[in-house]
């Protein structure tokens, strides 16, 4: 690999105290060893970030913009190597990996042009009151293994834009592209402004409890999110949590099944179902239930499962051994609670392959419907009463996204307003962008990412009130 894969601490690329063996999920075998950070190295990264932060915050905005733009350029110039490495560590098909890198660049360019200017909220004979947004200090970005490059970049961008320094801690099963991002960042940002430290799931807690870390921007599972929140309480640090979801898609009886099926399939099976905002339970009206199940089965039959680097592959393996074991268990659940009409395990080359699986004649109460599967196994649940399906959708402790599918937009809109989630899509699913607030309702999150509201969470509101 041409790009270095070392830890980045205080502007230095270092080997680290230990080693992480990174597995290619399409073979189940290690393909590279990269440094594993120690507690001492994480402490050194925090100290470096703390030292560098005031200078970075004092750097004129135009200069911070320019450096973020250069970082986006570097991601662009190295897109091919980043995408191929992403396939090897994460498993997704090369086309999806290229899209992830392009999205990362797009988000970086958005933040490289964004601003959160001061606002004057009162200016009269008595007072002038201004609201500014100051940097918080050291921000830690803790990322999961499903979109390691995109999520790292959309945490780094707003952190640096507002004058914070940044420590990236990737998931242990996908550290390689994050280390490559560190190598690119080293040549662009002053020493200590960006640091990248890997771990074996053992250093996140150090970050969340550390008094010199001002904010945790966390993306991962709901159980870990709870631990982050509890730990952050000791120092009352700022947290943004983007957590798990169990998005329902509700398909009304008037949809054009042939037109909707490919879109619903893509919304459920992108990245082998390992997307926080994927369709995870599909509620289909009784009148079109059989037709939509058949269309999804046909769609599953066109999927080419394989190594993401092989041309023609449209779905890769699930990302890691633990997730594969969970998927195998959920296939047993599907067998017991419903009827598998497409999919199942595909034993091939030691990889973690699960074919896109459609499970019909299954009901709420099954773990496959009620819990987040994060795997390519879609339960299709029948309904005939819209009010009841809204109740069933909203009964979940999750509330990340959801969608409503209907050829009657007024009907769909009225239904969308009743769904308890941060986002509801109508006749699509999975869409988000840096200008759109992204926020999980209930136990799917805490705080907002993206948009002005998300940007403000990377700063401290600072009011200057002047008596006249
Ligand atoms: P995870 O919670 O196991 O791990 C996420 C990160 O947290 C990793 O970097 C891990 O090392 C770190 N971590 C582990 N223990 C920690 C601790 N005690 N303190 C701090 N950090 C700790 O999640 P995962 O399995 O990597 O990712 C899958 C989950 O992420 C799914 O539930 C998915 O829905 C969710 N996710 C959510 C979003 C979103 O935006 N809402 C996006 C992607 C993934």
């Amino acid at each position: 690999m041409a790009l270095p894969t070392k830890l980045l601490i205080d502007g230095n690329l270092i080997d680290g105290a230990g080693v992480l063996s990174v597995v290619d999920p399409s073979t189940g075998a290690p393909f590279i060893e990269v440094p594993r950070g120690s507690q001492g190295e994480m402490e050194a990264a925090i100290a470096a970030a703390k030292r560098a932060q005031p200078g970075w915050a004092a750097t004129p905005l135009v200069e911070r913009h320019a450096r973020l733009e250069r970082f986006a350029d570097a991601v662009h110039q190295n897109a091919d190597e980043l995408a191929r490495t992403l396939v090897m560590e994460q498993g997704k098909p090369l086309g999806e990996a290229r899209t992830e890198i392009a999205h990362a660049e797009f988000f970086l360019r958005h933040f490289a042009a964004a601003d959160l200017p001061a606002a004057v909220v009162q200016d009269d004979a008595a007072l002038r009151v201004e609201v500014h947004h100051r940097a918080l200090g050291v921000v830690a970005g803790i990322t999961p293994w499903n979109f390691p490059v995109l999520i790292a970049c959309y945490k780094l961008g707003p952190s640096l834009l507002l004058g914070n320094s940044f420590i990236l801690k990737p998931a242990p099963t996908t550290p390689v592209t994050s280390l490559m991002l560190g190598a690119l960042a080293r040549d662009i940002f002053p020493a200590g402004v960006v640091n990248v430290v890997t771990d074996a799931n053992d250093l996140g807690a150090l970050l969340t409890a550390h008094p010199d870390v001002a904010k945790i921007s966390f993306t991962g599972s709901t159980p870990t999110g709870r631990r982050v929140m509890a730990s952050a309480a000791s120092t009352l640090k700022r947290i943004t949590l983007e957590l798990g979801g169990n998005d329902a898609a509700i398909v009304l009886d008037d949809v054009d099944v042939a037109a909707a099926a490919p879109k619903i399939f893509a919304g459920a099976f992108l990245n082998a179902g390992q997307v926080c905002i994927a369709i995870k339970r599909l509620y289909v009206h009784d009148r079109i239930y059989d037709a939509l199940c058949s269309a999804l089965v046909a769609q599953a039959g066109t999927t080419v499962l394989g190594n993401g680097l092989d041309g023609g592959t449209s779905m890769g393996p699930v990302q890691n051994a633990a997730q594969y074991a969970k998927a195998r268990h959920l296939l047993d659940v599907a067998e017991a609670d419903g009827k598998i009409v497409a999919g199942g395990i595909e034993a091939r080359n030691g990889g973690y392959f699960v074919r896109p699986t459609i499970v019909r004649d299954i009901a709420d109460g099954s773990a496959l419907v009620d819990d987040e599967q994060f795997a390519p196994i879609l339960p299709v649940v029948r309904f005939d009463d819209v009010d009841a399906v809204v109740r069933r959708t909203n009964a979940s402790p999750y509330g990340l996204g959801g969608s409503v599918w209907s050829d009657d937009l007024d009907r769909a809109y009225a239904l969308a307003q009743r769904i308890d989630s941060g986002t509801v899509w109508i006749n699509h699913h999975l869409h988000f962008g840096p200008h759109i607030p992204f926020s999980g309702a209930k136990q799917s999150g805490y705080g907002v990412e993206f948009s002005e509201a998300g940007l403000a969470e990377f700063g401290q509101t600072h009011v200057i009130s002047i008596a006249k």
Side-chain angles (χ1 to χ4, degrees):
M1 284 175 194
L3 284 172
T5 53
K6 294 177 184 265
L7 307 181
L8 175 63
I9 298 175
D10 204 11
N12 300 309
L13 294 176
I14 65 164
D15 277 329
V19 167
L20 273 182
S21 204
V22 185
V23 167
D24 175 346
S26 72
T27 61
F31 74 99
I32 189 173
E33 287 191 337
V34 298
R36 168 184 168 181
S38 64
Q39 285 206 9
E41 283 153 350
M42 187 60 93
E43 291 279 3
I46 295 169
K50 190 182 176 192
R51 274 195 307 277
Q53 189 271 324
W56 177 247
T59 304
L61 179 65
V62 59
E63 173 77 20
R64 279 183 270 142
H65 275 165
R67 294 206 192 220
L68 279 169
E69 191 71 36
R70 274 178 60 199
F71 188 59
D73 292 343
V75 168
H76 180 83
Q77 283 149 13
N78 293 277
D80 190 58
E81 185 175 356
L82 286 168
R84 287 178 183 281
T85 309
L86 181 58
V87 173
M88 285 188 266
E89 69 175 343
Q90 205 282 334
K92 65 186 66 186
L94 186 56
E96 284 183 27
R98 289 195 196 288
T99 303
E100 178 173 341
I101 308 301
H103 271 81
E105 180 192 338
F106 174 72
F107 271 75
L108 286 169
R109 292 202 195 283
H110 172 89
F111 294 118
D115 190 8
L116 206 54
V120 178
V121 293
Q122 184 178 346
D123 195 8
D124 54 25
L127 283 178
R128 177 181 168 86
V129 182
E130 300 173 352
V131 181
H132 298 254
H133 302 274
R134 291 165 64 119
L136 287 166
V138 177
V139 173
I142 301 180
T143 55
W145 42 258
N146 56 348
F147 291 91
V149 177
L150 174 59
I151 296 176
C153 289
Y154 71 53
K155 293 182 186 305
L156 178 149
S159 299
L160 268 54
L161 173 67
L162 286 218
N164 304 291
S165 54
F166 185 68
I167 299 170
L168 172 61
K169 194 214 77 60
T173 57
T174 52
V176 191
T177 45
S178 294
L179 295 170
M180 290 177 161
L181 290 175
L184 297 175
R186 185 185 72 143
D187 297 335
I188 294 168
F189 300 105
V193 169
V194 176
N195 306 272
V196 184
V197 181
T198 58
D199 73 342
N201 261 338
D202 55 344
L203 296 180
L206 193 161
L207 283 169
T208 57
H210 203 289
D212 290 338
V213 175
K215 176 184 168 86
I216 301 287
S217 175
F218 174 84
T219 302
S221 65
T222 295
T224 310
R226 284 191 199 103
R227 285 197 281 279
V228 170
M229 194 171 197
S231 170
S234 62
T235 50
L236 279 177
K237 57 173 57 67
R238 305 296 174 261
I239 51 173
T240 306
L241 306 176
E242 295 297 344
L243 307 177
N246 194 16
D247 287 15
I250 301 173
V251 189
L252 300 183
D253 54 354
D254 60 6
V255 296
D256 175 343
V257 169
K263 295 180 201 162
I264 291 171
F265 187 87
F269 292 104
L270 181 81
N271 202 24
Q274 302 162 119
V275 185
C276 55
I277 46 173
I279 296 172
K280 301 208 171 116
R281 45 191 173 132
L282 182 61
Y283 290 106
V284 181
H285 192 276
D286 190 46
R287 269 181 38 198
I288 55 163
Y289 185 83
D290 289 335
L292 185 54
C293 284
S294 300
L296 292 172
V297 168
Q299 197 74 35
T302 68
T303 301
V304 181
L305 201 64
N307 181 318
L309 291 175
D310 294 343
T313 294
S314 59
M315 199 172 101
V318 299
Q319 200 277 318
N320 56 65
Q323 202 57 35
Y324 187 49
K326 183 177 167 193
R328 287 201 311 265
H329 166 70
L330 285 173
L331 286 171
D332 292 341
V333 171
E335 192 91 53
D337 296 353
K339 188 170 164 204
I340 297 175
V341 283
I345 289 292
E346 177 146 321
R348 132 188 348 213
N349 201 22
Y352 310 141
F353 289 103
V354 181
R355 292 198 300 275
T357 301
I358 309 292
V359 185
R360 57 170 291 166
D361 302 326
I362 188 163
D364 294 38
S366 167
L368 184 60
V369 182
D370 294 356
D371 300 338
E372 181 185 42
Q373 66 276 56
F374 221 62
I377 307 170
L378 180 67
V380 189
V381 183
R382 190 188 297 266
F383 78 88
D384 57 11
D385 176 342
V386 172
D387 292 332
V389 87
V390 169
R391 275 198 302 278
R392 286 149 69 182
T393 296
N394 290 343
S396 173
Y398 292 110
L400 197 53
S403 58
V404 177
W405 300 72
S406 170
D407 285 356
D408 179 340
L409 270 191
D410 291 340
R411 228 180 135 202
Y413 192 85
L415 190 51
Q417 288 178 301
R418 300 171 64 193
I419 305 302
D420 295 341
S421 61
T423 303
V424 188
W425 296 275
I426 295 176
N427 293 332
H428 70 152
H429 205 105
L430 281 181
H431 180 264
F432 67 103
H435 56 302
I436 304 171
F438 182 61
S439 167
K442 298 187 275 182
Q443 295 187 33
S444 282
Y446 189 88
V448 185
E449 285 195 299
F450 318 144
S451 77
E452 272 204 5
L455 216 45
E457 292 201 9
F458 285 89
Q460 172 61 51
T461 302
H462 187 66
V463 173
I464 299 182
S465 179
I466 307 155
K468 290 192 178 163

